[in-house]
Amino acid sequence: MKKTIRKKASAKRTPPSRPAKHAGSKHPRSQQNKASATLDADGKLTFNHAMVYVKDVEHGLAFYRDLLGFKLIEDFRYENKPVYARLRAPGGDGTIALHQAGPEVSVLSDGVRLYFEVRELDDFCRKLQQKGFHITQLPRMMPWGWRHAYLNDPDGHEISLYWAGENRMKKTVMKAVQRAARA
């Protein structure tokens, strides 16, 4: 019944105009045609991906794919150079997209930090160090009950590698920190 209603409603309207494509930009067709893919079965909004603007997609791929282990889903090349890449986290369904920033565009992202959870945090960080990667804060337990390490990607985007375990969705952890701060 819903499809019939949608067909009738769409038949009365003129089709929406599509934005012009720009050289070097990427708007995956799968996202344009499947807008409902970001809704769960109950029609609730779910998180799809984070877009990370970078100065060099190739360097971003070397970091996220080759160093952190993300899996390349798709990439888009302009004049045989990658200008867009979509990657999936190695341990789940989370994805990020790397998008080539224009030559005069800043990629600084003050106030935004990407979080990636990994159970074997210490081992993971040790492996990054063995590959020569600098970690700005080695893993340590934070007052809210999560173990965190911090680093930056090649463009300076802040990243937290952490393990929260069963505390991840518990409000009581933060409430305990607030109570301790008041005492």
Side-chain angles (χ1 to χ4, degrees), residues 35-106:
S36 63
T38 58
L39 299 177
D40 73 0
D42 296 328
K44 296 177 185 170
L45 187 68
T46 62
F47 181 76
N48 185 283
H49 73 281
M51 177 79 76
V52 180
Y53 287 89
V54 297
K55 286 293 183 186
D56 187 320
V57 173
E58 199 75 65
H59 285 128
L61 284 169
F63 177 77
Y64 289 98
R65 180 190 59 203
D66 303 339
L67 195 59
L68 296 186
F70 278 70
K71 306 296 181 208
L72 183 64
I73 296 170
E74 69 173 325
D75 69 346
F76 179 76
R77 294 174 176 269
Y78 179 73
E79 295 180 354
N80 208 28
K81 182 179 177 188
V83 294
Y84 173 90
R86 179 115 184 237
L87 303 114
R88 184 172 151 237
D93 292 332
T95 63
I96 60 170
L98 305 177
H99 195 296
Q100 184 76 44
E104 303 299 320
V105 175
S106 171

Side-chain angles (χ1 to χ4, degrees), residues 11 13 18-19 34 37 52 56 62 66 68 70 73 110 117 120 126 136 138 141 161 163-164 169 175-176:
R13 292 182 295 195
R18 289 189 173 181
K34 297 182 182 177
V52 180
D56 187 320
D66 303 339
L68 296 186
F70 278 70
I73 296 170
D110 291 339
E117 191 169 16
E120 302 299 328
R126 208 172 356 269
T136 57
L138 292 172
M141 184 58 76
L161 301 175
W163 175 247
M169 296 301 218
K175 287 181 181 178

